[in-house]
Amino acid sequence: GKETVMARLSDADDALASFVDEMKARNLWDKVTVLFVSEFGRTLTNNGAGTDHGWGGNYWMVGGGMKGGRILGRYPDDLTDAGDLNIGRGRLIPTTPWDAVWNGIAEWFGVSASGLDDILPNRHNFDTIYSRSDLYN
Protein backbone atom coordinates (compact mmCIF):
# COMPACT_ATOMS: atom_id res chain seq x y z
CA GLY A 1 0.00 0.00 0.00
CA LYS A 2 0.86 3.67 0.16
CA GLU A 3 2.74 3.32 3.47
CA THR A 4 4.95 0.59 1.99
CA VAL A 5 5.79 2.73 -1.03
CA MET A 6 6.57 5.72 1.18
CA ALA A 7 8.81 3.59 3.41
CA ARG A 8 10.68 2.26 0.37
CA LEU A 9 11.11 5.74 -1.05
CA SER A 10 12.44 6.90 2.30
CA ASP A 11 14.89 3.97 2.33
CA ALA A 12 16.01 4.79 -1.21
CA ASP A 13 16.45 8.46 -0.27
CA ASP A 14 18.55 7.53 2.77
CA ALA A 15 20.68 5.11 0.73
CA LEU A 16 21.29 7.67 -2.02
CA ALA A 17 22.21 10.35 0.52
CA SER A 18 24.72 7.97 2.14
CA PHE A 19 26.19 7.09 -1.25
CA VAL A 20 26.53 10.75 -2.25
CA ASP A 21 28.15 11.59 1.10
CA GLU A 22 30.65 8.75 0.67
CA MET A 23 31.51 9.72 -2.92
CA LYS A 24 32.02 13.35 -1.84
CA ALA A 25 34.18 12.25 1.12
CA ARG A 26 36.36 10.27 -1.33
CA ASN A 27 36.43 13.22 -3.74
CA LEU A 28 34.79 11.06 -6.44
CA TRP A 29 31.36 12.68 -6.79
CA ASP A 30 32.31 14.49 -10.03
CA LYS A 31 33.12 11.08 -11.54
CA VAL A 32 29.73 9.52 -10.71
CA THR A 33 26.47 9.36 -12.65
CA VAL A 34 23.42 7.71 -11.12
CA LEU A 35 20.51 7.06 -13.47
CA PHE A 36 17.12 6.20 -11.98
CA VAL A 37 14.64 4.42 -14.24
CA SER A 38 11.50 2.38 -14.15
CA GLU A 39 11.51 -0.75 -16.24
CA PHE A 40 8.15 0.33 -17.69
CA GLY A 41 5.91 3.36 -17.80
CA ARG A 42 2.62 3.59 -15.97
CA THR A 43 -0.82 4.73 -17.03
CA LEU A 44 -2.20 7.91 -15.51
CA THR A 45 -5.55 6.32 -14.76
CA ASN A 46 -6.39 3.96 -11.92
CA ASN A 47 -7.63 0.47 -12.72
CA GLY A 48 -9.20 0.07 -9.28
CA ALA A 49 -6.13 -1.55 -7.73
CA GLY A 50 -3.42 0.80 -8.95
CA THR A 51 -2.18 1.62 -12.44
CA ASP A 52 -1.37 -0.53 -15.43
CA HIS A 53 1.81 -0.76 -17.45
CA GLY A 54 2.11 2.08 -19.93
CA TRP A 55 4.57 3.44 -22.44
CA GLY A 56 5.69 6.88 -21.31
CA GLY A 57 7.77 7.00 -18.17
CA ASN A 58 10.53 9.06 -16.69
CA TYR A 59 14.11 8.79 -15.58
CA TRP A 60 16.32 11.15 -13.68
CA MET A 61 20.01 11.56 -13.17
CA VAL A 62 22.27 12.84 -10.43
CA GLY A 63 26.01 13.27 -10.25
CA GLY A 64 28.65 15.81 -9.38
CA GLY A 65 29.35 16.71 -12.99
CA MET A 66 25.72 17.00 -14.14
CA LYS A 67 24.11 20.13 -15.56
CA GLY A 68 21.34 19.78 -13.00
CA GLY A 69 18.10 21.50 -12.14
CA ARG A 70 16.51 20.98 -15.57
CA ILE A 71 13.82 18.89 -17.16
CA LEU A 72 14.78 17.56 -20.57
CA GLY A 73 12.33 16.25 -23.11
CA ARG A 74 8.78 17.32 -23.79
CA TYR A 75 6.39 17.44 -20.88
CA PRO A 76 2.80 16.84 -22.08
CA ASP A 77 0.79 20.03 -22.47
CA ASP A 78 -2.44 18.17 -21.71
CA LEU A 79 -2.71 15.08 -19.48
CA THR A 80 -6.43 14.57 -20.19
CA ASP A 81 -7.77 12.04 -22.69
CA ALA A 82 -7.83 14.90 -25.23
CA GLY A 83 -4.05 15.39 -25.00
CA ASP A 84 -2.09 14.72 -28.18
CA LEU A 85 0.22 12.25 -26.40
CA ASN A 86 -2.57 10.34 -24.62
CA ILE A 87 -3.79 7.31 -26.57
CA GLY A 88 -6.46 6.42 -24.01
CA ARG A 89 -6.69 5.32 -20.38
CA GLY A 90 -3.80 7.63 -19.53
CA ARG A 91 -1.27 5.82 -21.72
CA LEU A 92 1.20 8.43 -22.95
CA ILE A 93 3.37 8.16 -26.04
CA PRO A 94 7.01 8.81 -25.07
CA THR A 95 8.65 11.89 -26.60
CA THR A 96 12.23 11.18 -25.60
CA PRO A 97 13.84 7.85 -26.46
CA TRP A 98 15.86 5.81 -24.01
CA ASP A 99 18.76 6.20 -26.44
CA ALA A 100 18.77 9.99 -25.91
CA VAL A 101 20.06 9.81 -22.35
CA TRP A 102 22.34 6.83 -22.87
CA ASN A 103 24.04 8.60 -25.79
CA GLY A 104 25.26 11.40 -23.52
CA ILE A 105 26.24 9.02 -20.74
CA ALA A 106 28.17 6.80 -23.16
CA GLU A 107 30.02 9.83 -24.55
CA TRP A 108 30.87 10.82 -20.95
CA PHE A 109 32.28 7.30 -20.49
CA GLY A 110 34.48 7.91 -23.55
CA VAL A 111 32.69 5.74 -26.10
CA SER A 112 33.66 6.74 -29.66
CA ALA A 113 31.12 7.73 -32.33
CA SER A 114 31.46 4.33 -34.01
CA GLY A 115 31.12 2.65 -30.64
CA LEU A 116 27.93 4.63 -30.01
CA ASP A 117 26.49 3.21 -33.22
CA ASP A 118 27.30 -0.28 -31.95
CA ILE A 119 25.73 0.12 -28.52
CA LEU A 120 22.85 2.43 -29.56
CA PRO A 121 22.03 1.29 -33.11
CA ASN A 122 18.69 3.13 -33.16
CA ARG A 123 19.98 6.51 -32.01
CA HIS A 124 19.88 7.99 -35.52
CA ASN A 125 16.16 7.23 -35.73
CA PHE A 126 15.25 9.97 -33.25
CA ASP A 127 15.18 13.76 -33.36
CA THR A 128 16.11 14.06 -29.68
CA ILE A 129 19.51 12.69 -28.69
CA TYR A 130 21.54 14.23 -25.86
CA SER A 131 25.27 14.63 -26.06
CA ARG A 132 27.78 14.73 -23.24
CA SER A 133 27.72 18.53 -23.35
CA ASP A 134 23.90 18.51 -22.99
CA LEU A 135 24.08 16.51 -19.76
CA TYR A 136 27.42 17.35 -18.15
CA ASN A 137 29.34 20.47 -17.13
Side-chain angles (χ1 to χ4, degrees):
K2 185 177 180 180
E3 291 175 5
T4 302
V5 170
M6 293 307 293
R8 289 183 180 163
L9 288 174
S10 180
D11 290 345
D13 184 53
D14 292 344
L16 179 60
S18 294
F19 177 73
V20 170
D21 289 345
E22 183 65 23
M23 292 299 99
K24 287 179 177 179
R26 293 175 182 257
N27 207 23
L28 294 173
W29 183 232
D30 287 343
K31 298 177 181 181
V32 171
T33 295
V34 180
L35 178 64
F36 295 86
V37 300
S38 174
E39 72 274 21
F40 49 82
R42 285 290 187 179
T43 60
L44 298 178
T45 57
N46 191 310
N47 64 14
T51 60
D52 293 317
H53 291 204
W55 292 342
N58 60 72
Y59 23 93
W60 55 277
M61 301 169 61
V62 296
M66 304 295 313
K67 286 184 180 176
R70 303 171 305 142
I71 295 176
L72 302 176
R74 178 177 163 218
Y75 189 82
D77 296 327
D78 184 352
L79 294 176
T80 70
D81 286 340
D84 65 333
L85 297 177
N86 191 332
I87 63 165
R89 293 190 49 244
R91 291 173 296 171
L92 299 181
I93 297 171
T95 60
T96 305
W98 176 249
D99 306 64
V101 173
W102 277 112
N103 190 81
I105 294 171
E107 285 180 350
W108 179 72
F109 270 115
V111 176
S112 68
S114 63
L116 289 171
D117 289 338
D118 290 337
I119 63 172
L120 299 168
N122 294 315
R123 71 190 185 110
H124 297 292
N125 296 335
F126 303 104
D127 294 333
T128 303
I129 293 291
Y130 301 118
S131 67
R132 175 183 180 167
S133 63
D134 292 325
L135 302 178
Y136 297 89
N137 296 317

